[in-house]
Amino acid sequence: MLVSSPAMTTESETHRAINTVWKIEQPRLIAGLTRMVRDISLAEELAQDALIIALRTWPESGVPRNPGAWLMQTAKRRAIDYFRHRKMAATKLEEVGRTIEDDAPDHEAEIIEAMDDDVGDDLLRLIFTSCHPILPAESRVALTLRLLGGLTTEEIARAFLAAEPTIGQRIVRAKKAIADAGIPFEVPRGEERQERLSSVLGVLYLIFNEGYSATAGDDLIRPQLCEEALRLGRILARLSPDDSEVHALVALMEIQASRTSARTNKQGEPVLLLDQDRSRWDQLLIRRGLAALDRAIALGGENAPYALQAAIAACHARARKGADTDWARISALYATLAQVAPSPVIELNRAVAVSMADGPAAALVLIDAIKDNPALKNYHLLYGVRGDMLSKLGRHTEAMLEFRRAAELTRNEREKAYLLGRADEAV
């Protein structure tokens, strides 16, 4: 039997702490560095350099009191070295040097946490830069998810239901296009901001979704991604007070985030919506979400995609018990959403609502109509939902096979364990 020494245990714990800090701080680090060096690829390299130095020094020195500030200061010093060694223009060196002096360690946390206006938030600048019209729509989203969501290429590919090499190529080409075009690192104003807003909203929601239901790893939820998407969404709502879809997206995220503490049990295992303890739902977030939804509807956006999804979330939020849920209303909302924004994933969600309103047999008809869609070939939720319908219909062997297929496809360990448990129950 092998026994780890205290030193090995401490080093392992430090590496886990570094990984956690990196997931949280990476987007802010890249955004702040991009503001200084005006080059996304270089900002990523500098951030990675800071991570490597942390991996080398923290196991001996311990994790700093403010690890985010430590990483930022280290990356900034690497930036100065970079410009000095390459004999870049003196003005660039002075600019980065001044930034280091201005952002002294004692004030770093305040700077990082600040929720400034449109010209003061580095993450928002980075989103708008990455969503420039010069880039194809799919490249804008992929690049921003990589930079701000901290998602791997594999995770983004799964979110897009696309091949991993395809996503990787999009990201590389997008960074090169931004650099070649000299796109300014800023939040645009007026019509130019409006042109990019749809892409920005789409990215924020994908980042939120990755936090709400992580595609890979040991954790079902990555709360920091949800919180960051919500924070930026609220800033956008202040910047665009008359845009109904901005308010609708904020409403959707607020209401979904309200369930966070009830979505897993003490062991970190997923708890299905109907089984959740609704007393643990955050009522403040629900009230904020419902108010944002009312604002979106008042602005005439009742049947826009985010508003329809927010209305569905509101149906759940208003039901004090799972049995009180208005499934007929939800089913009707999904039918409208499927017309407004056709998608096999929306059809799958509609099938779940139909199963609750009209029974699993009616839902299975809808699922079987889309199950051969190429976009869903490796989508584990298709097989998980189909397995659930088959199980309710007493077709246990078929259900077991579907649950196992879903477990093979998911990269989230919590989901995998849950699905394998369902497969065992179905036998």
Side-chain angles (χ1 to χ4, degrees):
M1 178 179 177
L2 295 175
V3 180
S4 299
S5 69
M8 290 175 61
T9 302
T10 301
E11 184 173 345
S12 175
E13 290 174 352
T14 301
H15 280 130
R16 282 198 298 271
I18 293 172
N19 287 334
T20 300
V21 168
W22 180 247
K23 284 182 180 179
I24 296 171
E25 299 295 343
Q26 180 190 11
R28 297 172 186 267
L29 195 58
I30 292 173
L33 291 167
T34 300
R35 169 172 50 82
M36 287 179 283
V37 302
R38 306 289 165 170
D39 184 319
I40 291 173
S41 294
L42 177 56
E44 284 189 287
E45 290 178 19
L46 294 169
Q48 288 287 343
D49 286 347
L51 173 63
I52 291 169
I53 294 171
L55 287 168
R56 188 168 62 241
T57 60
W58 289 6
E60 294 182 6
S61 63
V63 178
R65 180 173 298 178
N66 190 334
W70 189 99
L71 288 169
M72 183 66 82
Q73 288 298 113
T74 301
K76 288 174 182 176
R77 293 190 182 99
R78 295 290 292 180
I80 280 191
D81 290 342
Y82 173 89
F83 290 119
R84 179 178 289 129
H85 291 160
R86 285 155 183 77
K87 298 181 180 179
M88 297 292 282
T91 53
K92 174 64 76 173
L93 180 60
E94 291 171 6
E95 177 186 335
V96 177
R98 283 197 304 272
T99 304
I100 288 181
E101 292 176 2
D102 293 342
D103 296 353
D106 290 345
H107 306 295
E108 190 73 46
E110 296 176 14
I111 293 168
I112 288 175
E113 294 299 327
M115 291 195 296
D116 265 341
D117 58 13
D118 54 334
V119 297
D121 193 287
D122 287 336
L123 286 168
L124 205 57
R125 284 172 174 148
L126 187 55
I127 288 183
F128 273 97
T129 301
S130 301
C131 290
H132 195 281
I134 197 173
L135 303 176
E138 63 272 14
S139 297
R140 300 174 206 165
V141 178
L143 176 61
T144 317
L145 286 175
R146 181 75 187 91
L147 296 175
L148 276 95
L151 275 63
T152 65
T153 305
E154 179 191 4
E155 290 169 337
I156 299 169
R158 292 176 68 80
F160 272 107
L161 304 179
E164 188 174 342
T166 301
I167 297 299
Q169 291 168 7
R170 287 178 189 172
I171 293 171
V172 170
R173 287 197 296 264
K175 286 191 286 189
K176 185 176 186 303
I178 289 173
D180 291 347
I183 294 172
F185 183 65
E186 63 183 11
V187 175
R189 299 178 182 276
E191 292 184 7
E192 190 178 355
R193 179 193 291 166
Q194 199 62 33
E195 283 180 5
R196 301 190 214 175
L197 196 55
S198 177
S199 291
V200 170
L201 294 179
V203 166
L204 284 183
Y205 191 39
L206 283 172
I207 291 173
F208 180 89
N209 277 339
E210 177 59 26
Y212 191 73
S213 185
T215 57
D218 296 328
D219 300 320
L220 182 72
I221 303 169
R222 294 166 67 177
Q224 72 274 9
L225 290 183
C226 293
E227 291 165 6
E228 197 57 64
L230 251 177
R231 185 184 75 85
L232 294 172
R234 290 165 181 161
I235 294 174
L236 278 178
R238 293 200 299 270
L239 295 177
S240 305
D242 297 325
D243 191 294
S244 64
E245 275 289 78
V246 175
H247 293 287
L249 176 59
V250 171
L252 176 57
M253 294 192 295
E254 298 272 18
I255 296 171
Q256 288 185 322
S258 72
R259 308 173 197 153
T260 298
S261 64
R263 292 188 62 237
T264 56
N265 60 22
K266 292 180 179 179
Q267 291 73 42
E269 299 165 338
V271 179
L272 297 180
L273 179 61
L274 293 180
D275 297 329
Q276 289 174 14
D277 178 358
R278 300 190 176 209
S279 68
R280 297 180 63 195
W281 287 4
D282 190 319
Q283 294 302 312
L284 174 60
L285 289 179
I286 289 175
R287 288 195 296 273
R288 290 176 64 117
L290 294 177
L293 178 58
D294 288 342
R295 176 66 175 159
I297 292 172
L299 289 167
E302 183 174 4
N303 288 322
Y306 293 125
L308 288 166
Q309 293 176 75
I312 291 167
C315 287
H316 293 296
R318 291 186 176 110
R320 294 191 174 275
K321 298 180 296 183
D324 297 336
T325 306
D326 188 348
W327 288 107
R329 166 74 172 155
I330 293 175
S331 180
L333 287 166
Y334 268 122
T336 303
L337 181 60
Q339 293 177 343
V340 172
S343 157
V345 174
I346 289 173
E347 285 293 337
L348 183 61
N349 285 324
R350 181 163 81 96
V352 174
V354 167
S355 75
M356 301 302 296
D358 303 318
L364 192 59
V365 172
L366 296 177
I367 295 170
D368 287 346
I370 60 171
K371 69 182 179 68
D372 294 325
N373 189 307
L376 298 178
K377 180 180 178 181
N378 295 314
Y379 191 53
H380 73 283
L381 292 178
L382 168 68
Y383 305 97
V385 171
R386 193 167 188 273
D388 188 48
M389 299 306 144
L390 290 168
S391 179
K392 290 176 179 176
L393 291 169
R395 296 161 60 177
H396 300 299
T397 301
E398 294 173 86
M400 178 265 294
L401 293 173
E402 294 291 77
F403 285 131
R404 286 184 178 172
R405 174 66 173 151
E408 290 173 2
L409 289 172
T410 184
R411 295 294 180 271
N412 185 285
E413 295 303 318
R414 297 290 186 182
E415 278 191 322
K416 185 186 291 291
Y418 169 77
L419 289 164
L420 288 174
R422 290 295 308 270
D424 292 340
E425 292 172 2
V427 175

